[in-house]
Amino acid sequence: MARRLLIVDDEETLTFSLYQSFILSKKDYEVATASSGEEALDKMSSAPFDLIITDIFMPGISGIDLLKKVKSDYPATEVIVMTAYGSDEKKDEVAGLGAKHYVEKPFEMKAVREMVFNILG
Amino acid sequence: MERMDRLATLGELSAGIAHEIRNPLAGIKTSAQVLEESFSPGDFRSQLVSRIVKEIDRSNKLLQRFFNFAKPNRPKPGFHSLKNIVDGVFLLLAPRLMKRKIEYSCEIEEGLPNIYIDESQFEQVILNLFLNAYDAMPDGGNLNVKTWYDKSGRVMAEQESKGVVIILISDTGKGISQEKLERIFDPFYTSKSDGVGLGLSISSRLLEENQSKIEVNSVPGEGSAFKIMLPFVQEDRQE
């Protein structure tokens, strides 16, 4: 069964390019995107994802709230958090909430892809 | 107080700008990297895309400096040898200093206690001060470091009787006029044609975060001296 990856960010250029990157990686992943935390939770309720890559600062439900909700309702789902406004405090906070990785934008796509490959296989 | 208010406002503004620019930069960089992989490495289009990525990284480095100023990471202090830190920064710049015929001397008081500081933040401060001295001496000169332990601690009111470690970094460069001295720690203030004006403001901010202080004395035509004052902390008493 294909592993499922959800990319969540209100920055459409980033979600589109990440989506393309994983489609082109020739891995047997089912990749989807969401432009908000609300849309991500909607998609999760239909069929949970194995991994979510989410931004922190989004209108509506923030990436932090999404991380909390996912970790409480879907504990098997791993989360990678990305942000354009990073700090040590934020990194510690998301690690404490159970995020697998924390990346600051703009990141090296290869590095993020490696993280995903390591988690999803 | 007025300067602190301006620092806070500019800091928040810088962070906001950095945030709004980094998001699109992330989209451009990821798109470029996906595109880059679709060309063979020798293809000129791949080389062009690779240049886009390099320019994004260059812009991001500048933004990172704004971030460092706006919101320095919280210090992770530990006990460190001042000599090791200063020597490390000197080694980094030694080839440049030699090339410009800048004589370097470092006088560390014997038995100087270890300093309690965030090592990488303090390295950044020393590096900024060395680079400023380098820029102030285009035709060579002397860069001197002198450190000592002031047991009285009188130079920092709150440290009286506990002691202060002092680091004096002086150069024989162009010096700074009184008018410029008053603004030298202000963010975005620079007298260099290619400067951003954040080096000294970041240094001052980082030292404040580490409960330390910096002062400057300068005589135009003779040189400048920056005095860093670090509160002494007993090594068996981490605070």
Side-chain angles (χ1 to χ4, degrees):
Chain A
M1 198 170 122
R3 309 299 307 274
R4 305 186 78 231
L5 166 66
L6 179 63
I7 302 160
V8 190
D9 200 327
D10 57 327
E11 295 286 330
E12 201 193 332
T13 307
L14 185 65
T15 51
F16 178 72
S17 54
L18 274 176
Y19 173 85
Q20 288 299 335
S21 162
F22 289 108
I23 294 298
L24 291 169
S25 72
K26 292 174 185 161
K27 292 275 187 178
D28 185 23
Y29 298 156
E30 200 178 305
V31 189
T33 63
S35 60
S36 67
E38 288 84 346
E39 189 184 345
L41 287 173
D42 269 357
K43 290 191 171 175
M44 281 294 279
S45 64
S46 311
F49 287 80
D50 300 294
L51 172 62
I52 293 177
I53 304 176
T54 182
D55 185 32
I56 292 182
F57 292 98
M58 295 182 288
I61 297 176
S62 74
I64 297 284
D65 291 335
L66 177 63
L67 169 64
K68 286 179 188 166
K69 184 82 178 151
V70 167
K71 281 292 158 191
S72 102
D73 295 359
Y74 309 94
T77 300
E78 296 288 7
V79 180
I80 296 174
V81 171
M82 53 187 178
T83 182
Y85 188 47
S87 65
D88 282 352
E89 289 85 349
K90 198 57 78 184
K91 186 178 180 180
D92 292 347
E93 183 187 359
V94 300
L97 292 170
K100 188 80 174 169
H101 295 289
Y102 167 91
V103 289
E104 289 194 12
K105 297 176 182 175
F107 44 76
E108 287 299 319
M109 196 191 58
K110 279 182 185 166
V112 170
R113 216 161 41 193
E114 278 307 307
M115 290 173 189
V116 172
F117 292 168
N118 285 334
I119 294 168
L120 295 184
Chain B
M1 205 57 211
E2 190 191 336
R3 188 177 147 260
M4 290 309 291
D5 283 349
R6 271 188 290 145
L7 278 171
T9 309
L10 276 169
E12 284 163 20
L13 185 65
S14 304
I17 290 169
H19 175 237
E20 291 309 315
I21 295 174
R22 263 183 160 178
N23 266 318
L25 278 187
I28 299 167
K29 181 171 177 177
T30 314
S31 302
Q33 289 184 322
V34 172
L35 199 57
E36 191 176 12
E37 289 177 354
S38 68
F39 300 123
S40 61
D43 191 321
F44 79 96
R45 289 170 294 186
S46 168
Q47 290 164 18
L48 285 174
V49 175
S50 154
R51 279 167 194 260
I52 294 173
V53 174
K54 270 188 194 159
E55 293 303 319
I56 290 166
D57 288 342
R58 192 159 72 105
S59 311
N60 189 49
K61 270 187 191 162
L62 180 63
L63 287 176
Q64 189 58 53
R65 294 184 66 192
F66 279 82
F67 263 127
N68 289 345
F69 166 72
K71 196 178 175 198
N73 279 327
R74 63 170 179 260
K76 294 177 184 131
F79 287 99
H80 299 284
S81 153
L82 179 59
K83 184 177 187 312
N84 287 352
I85 295 176
V86 172
D87 284 352
V89 175
F90 167 66
L91 283 176
L92 200 68
L93 296 179
R96 271 205 242 184
L97 298 175
M98 278 171 66
K99 198 172 172 189
R100 198 173 268 191
K101 294 188 171 54
I102 293 174
E103 296 286 330
Y104 172 78
S105 76
C106 180
E107 196 183 316
I108 308 259
E109 188 181 60
E110 204 167 317
L112 189 78
N114 280 340
I115 53 172
Y116 189 62
I117 197 111
D118 182 304
E119 189 180 23
S120 69
Q121 291 184 346
F122 192 63
E123 275 171 353
Q124 192 183 345
V125 171
I126 301 294
L127 181 65
N128 282 338
L129 294 176
F130 277 20
L131 284 172
N132 278 351
Y134 171 84
D135 288 339
M137 296 185 283
D139 303 316
N142 293 301
L143 168 60
N144 307 306
V145 179
K146 192 175 177 189
T147 73
W148 67 94
Y149 171 49
D150 174 5
K151 282 181 190 150
S152 78
R154 278 188 211 104
V155 287
M156 290 175 87
E158 62 280 17
Q159 274 299 114
E160 198 152 353
S161 79
K162 290 183 193 162
V164 172
V165 174
I166 295 174
I167 303 117
L168 189 69
I169 299 175
S170 55
D171 65 62
T172 56
K174 294 181 278 191
I176 308 156
S177 68
Q178 188 58 39
E179 183 195 353
K180 286 180 180 171
L181 269 184
E182 286 168 13
R183 300 190 58 197
I184 202 168
F185 294 110
D186 287 355
F188 311 113
Y189 177 76
T190 182
S191 57
K192 300 176 195 170
S193 57
D194 58 347
V196 179
L198 283 174
L200 282 176
S201 56
I202 288 174
S203 298
S204 168
R205 182 96 183 243
L206 289 178
L207 288 170
E208 277 170 23
E209 294 283 326
N210 283 274
Q211 280 73 53
S212 304
K213 284 201 317 195
I214 185 166
E215 287 176 358
V216 58
N217 273 302
S218 188
V219 178
E222 291 185 16
S224 306
F226 288 85
K227 184 157 93 175
I228 298 172
M229 289 154 274
L230 307 175
F232 170 65
V233 178
Q234 280 281 358
E235 201 149 343
D236 57 348
R237 246 189 63 215
Q238 294 194 17
E239 287 174 7

